[in-house]
Structure formats: C-alpha cells, structure tokens
Amino acid sequence: MLKKRRTISLKWLLLGVLITNTAMSFIWPLNTIYIHETLHKSLVIAASVLFLNQFATMLGSLIGGKLFDSWSPYYSILLGIVLNIFALGGLIFFHAWPSYALLLILSGLANGISVTCENSLATRVGNHRSSYVFNLLYFASNFGLVFGTLTVGYIMPLGIGYVFAIATIIQVLFLVVAFINYNIQINQISISKNETESKGKLTPKILGALIMVLICWLIYEQWQSNLSTFMVEKGFKVKNYSFLWTFNAILIVLFQPVVTHFDELLLKHIRGRLNTGILLLLASFAFLLLPFKDGYWLYVTSMCLLTLGEILLFPGVASFVDKESPRNLTGYYQGRVQMFSALGKAIGPLFGALIIDNTNYEFLFLICILMALIALVIFSWPVFAISKKYKV
C-alpha cells in the first residue's frame, strides 16, 4: 500500500493535467468531422453527440465532487482515469455507429470526474496558494491541448484506431502517475455552524460567479465553432482560422506566467481580475463589428483580446470560488465550477448556430456583447445582495 501524504506535489499534479489534456485533445478536434464525414451522420446528430458528451461531463463533475468530499480523493480520481481508459480503449475496436457515440459520452463522464478531482487537489498542494496553482493548471492544460492537436494531424492518416490507441496509452500513463503520487490524506477540518449549513448550497457570490462563467463559456465557444464559417465566408482559408488558435496558444504561453507571477496581487483584487476578463471577452466581439472584416489583423487583434480575457477569467473563477467556499467542501464547489463551465460549452455552439440561421453573424456578435454585459452585472450584483443560499 502506498504511503499517504498530507499534500500533493505541484509537479506531479501539473504532469497529470498535462497528460490528460494531451490525451483528450487527440479526440475532440476529430469528433464532428468523423461523425459527419466517416460515419455519414448529419451535423445535427454530430452536434447532439457533442452536447451529450458535455452533459455527461457535467454529471461527472457532480459525481467527482461528491466522491472527492465524502469518499476518497485518491480513489475518486483513479476511478475517473480507469473509466476513461475503458472508453478510449473501447474506441480502438468499436468506432462505428452507435458505439462511437456511446463510448464518447462515457469518456465525457470520466473526464468530468478526473478534471473536478484535479481542480480539487489543486487546493491541497503544499506551500502554494490555490490561486497560484490554478494559474499553472490552466497553463499546463492549454500546453497539452496544443501538443495534442498538433500531433493528431500526423497520426490520423494512419487510421482512427491509432489515434484512440495513443490516447489510451497516454491515459494509462496518467493512471501510473496518479497511482504513485496522488494518494493524499484529507484530514477532517473543524468548521463553524454557518459553514456546516452551507453544505449543498451556494451563496449569492458563488452563484453569481457560476452563472457568469457559464455565460462566458457560452460566448467563448462561438470562437471555437461558428467563427470558422464566418471567416470562410469572408474569403479566408481554414489555415487562417487555425493560425488564430496557434496564436492563442503562444499568447497563453507568454502571458500566463506573468499572471502567475502577480498572483498575490491579483488574488487581493480578484473581482477586478474577473471583471477585466469579462470586458476583454466583450471587446473581442466588439472588434468583429468594425467595418474592416476583410483585414486579417482585425481577427488577430480580436483573438489577442479574447486570449488575455480567458487567461484572467477562467482560472480566476476557480480561485474565486475556492476563496469563498468552506475548505471541507472543495470537491462540491469545484465540481460546480466544472459543471457550469461544461453547460456553457455544451449549449454555446447550438445557441450561436440558431441565431445565425435566423439572423446573421453581426447580430450574434451583438448578442455576445450584451450577454457579456449581463455576466458582468450578475457577477457584481451579489456583492449587494441579501445573504441567502441557493441549493444547486
């Protein structure tokens, strides 16, 4: 039996996040193309499968948070990894319809459990503030996504089975890392009566932050889905759109360490950090309404604003919720962060597509700007709200 530790080593947690995001980035860029082009299903069916995948991730986040708090952080994350190995391993041999969809949904459930446990373990890293760790986790996850998406293009010509085989092997490596290094002992923490009553409920501050991150992910997803067709209609090539995400990765690599360096200052002004992130997301869509849509520099500038916004916003939400929540319910509250994020990712592409089909892209951008303002108001409003708690 491996010896239990009181804290987890930062380097092993970062390695685990890097590994799991590399594995999953082998899969997500292929889903729509594979379901539509190879399995000959409609785009509506492809979108529905991706929605169910994200819905399963939401469910996994709830399960992972509950298991982390009431069962075992160690066995909870091992459960998520083993389920993902089963799902990805199954896809090596069963990637026809409907087994592909079913195993992809199972992978989403497993990934929800794993990611929630990873974020919850971030609050148990020795000698580091959780906000500092969340910044580094965001950096590691994006680095894994970049590495995976760049590599999968060279593997895919060999056959889809090879893609799933490599993703499975990477998950097995994650299992080894977690099995050896993630066996920590969570001590029972003495909590006050008020903290006990907060179990299973959300304060106005936390609920406002969760609704805000849901909205922000919803509008962020427009960049990952509907902006590609918008640029193609404007005469740009797919590689022009792809380069924007390479640029996104470069900016994250350059600026995330800067944010991490000033973590203590940003934690003191956490609301200002998150509000600035929302405004930068808003500005990225405002730029798309300028009358220079034939200039590529416009999209590069918009992507720059979007990236700086996400660097401040998305890891900052986890820090804010951790700061506002009782320590003995880390899994519960970090699970809610992942759940609301997954919901925004799930409905974002469909939401944008419906607006485009009935109006146009410019109206979508206006809606995104309006929703960013709504997110800003919702996040700020609980500061003045009566202290109530909501069960979610």
Side-chain angles (χ1 to χ4, degrees):
M1 181 68 178
L2 294 175
K3 183 180 179 181
K4 291 185 177 180
R5 304 174 174 86
R6 292 184 179 274
T7 60
I8 188 170
S9 171
L10 177 59
K11 65 180 180 182
W12 293 119
L13 183 59
L14 290 176
L15 179 60
V17 171
L18 176 66
I19 291 172
T20 190
N21 278 277
T22 299
M24 297 316 298
S25 65
F26 274 66
I27 310 301
W28 71 262
L30 304 176
N31 286 326
T32 301
I33 297 173
Y34 184 74
I35 294 173
H36 183 56
E37 300 293 338
T38 304
L39 299 180
H40 306 295
K41 302 299 177 182
S42 69
L43 288 174
V44 173
I45 291 178
S48 299
V49 171
L50 297 184
F51 177 86
L52 291 173
N53 172 266
Q54 287 295 332
F55 186 83
T57 301
M58 288 173 53
L59 180 60
S61 298
L62 292 175
I63 294 171
K66 180 66 175 178
L67 294 178
F68 186 95
D69 290 331
S70 60
W71 182 38
S72 163
Y74 180 59
Y75 291 114
S76 298
I77 196 167
L78 292 183
L79 173 64
I81 300 170
V82 169
L83 282 176
N84 220 355
I85 290 173
F86 176 80
L88 297 178
L91 284 169
I92 299 173
F93 308 101
F94 306 104
H95 44 260
W97 186 264
S99 57
Y100 182 88
L102 295 174
L103 289 171
L104 192 67
I105 293 168
L106 177 61
S107 178
L109 176 74
N111 202 44
I113 296 173
S114 297
V115 172
T116 296
C117 290
E118 287 169 352
N119 273 29
S120 300
L121 286 171
T123 67
R124 300 296 193 272
V125 174
N127 302 319
H128 293 289
R129 291 184 304 275
S130 57
S131 57
Y132 174 85
V133 179
F134 284 131
N135 286 327
L136 290 179
L137 290 187
Y138 195 74
F139 175 85
S141 64
N142 277 278
F143 190 81
L145 290 174
V146 171
F147 180 77
T149 52
L150 286 175
T151 306
V152 71
Y154 296 96
I155 301 172
M156 184 59 185
L158 301 176
I160 192 72
Y162 288 94
V163 174
F164 296 132
I166 294 177
T168 303
I169 292 170
I170 294 174
Q171 281 291 317
V172 170
L173 178 60
F174 183 29
L175 179 63
V176 173
V177 170
F179 181 78
I180 297 174
N181 300 286
Y182 287 13
N183 192 13
I184 67 169
Q185 176 68 54
I186 301 295
N187 295 325
Q188 292 295 326
I189 299 171
S190 177
I191 57 174
S192 66
K193 180 177 181 292
N194 289 336
E195 287 178 324
T196 303
E197 291 175 349
S198 72
K199 185 172 183 178
K201 297 184 179 181
L202 303 173
T203 64
K205 289 183 179 180
I206 294 178
L207 184 60
L210 294 177
I211 295 173
M212 177 269 287
V213 79
L214 185 158
I215 294 173
C216 288
W217 269 116
L218 185 152
I219 62 179
Y220 183 91
E221 282 297 305
Q222 307 313 312
W223 271 94
Q224 292 193 326
S225 55
N226 297 307
L227 260 293
S228 58
T229 54
F230 176 70
M231 289 184 65
V232 170
E233 285 186 10
K234 294 299 176 183
F236 295 99
K237 298 179 180 179
V238 174
K239 68 178 182 181
N240 297 129
Y241 172 76
S242 299
F243 173 77
L244 291 177
W245 290 106
T246 303
F247 182 58
N248 170 272
I250 293 171
L251 289 177
I252 290 175
V253 170
L254 290 176
F255 284 99
Q256 190 70 53
V258 177
V259 172
T260 303
H261 180 74
F262 292 101
D263 174 69
E264 185 174 2
L265 175 64
L266 291 171
L267 185 61
K268 290 180 181 178
H269 303 282
I270 187 68
R271 281 192 172 273
R273 168 183 176 168
L274 297 179
N275 286 333
T276 302
I278 298 171
L279 290 173
L280 285 168
L281 257 66
L282 182 155
S284 72
F285 286 96
F287 253 76
L288 295 175
L289 291 172
L290 294 176
F292 307 109
K293 297 183 182 65
D294 294 332
Y296 190 60
W297 65 271
L298 180 72
Y299 300 93
V300 174
T301 304
S302 296
M303 176 56 77
C304 182
L305 293 169
L306 183 81
T307 306
L308 294 177
E310 70 168 292
I311 289 171
L312 291 173
L313 180 59
F314 294 135
V317 170
S319 299
F320 179 85
V321 170
D322 180 63
K323 186 171 178 285
E324 296 291 333
S325 60
R327 187 161 174 78
N328 70 309
L329 296 174
T330 300
Y332 174 86
Y333 286 99
Q334 291 302 319
R336 265 53 185 180
V337 173
Q338 296 304 315
M339 182 187 79
F340 278 73
S341 298
L343 181 59
K345 295 175 185 178
I347 64 181
L350 184 59
F351 171 85
L354 289 173
I355 292 177
I356 294 166
D357 285 346
N358 291 281
T359 56
N360 53 49
Y361 286 97
E362 285 74 13
F363 188 74
L364 172 63
F365 302 153
L366 283 172
I367 292 294
C368 288
I369 291 171
L370 177 61
M371 293 188 69
L373 289 172
I374 292 173
L376 194 67
V377 172
I378 289 174
F379 178 58
S380 301
W381 186 256
V383 174
F384 310 104
I386 298 173
S387 182
K388 297 179 181 178
K389 295 180 178 68
Y390 307 91
K391 189 171 182 65
V392 177

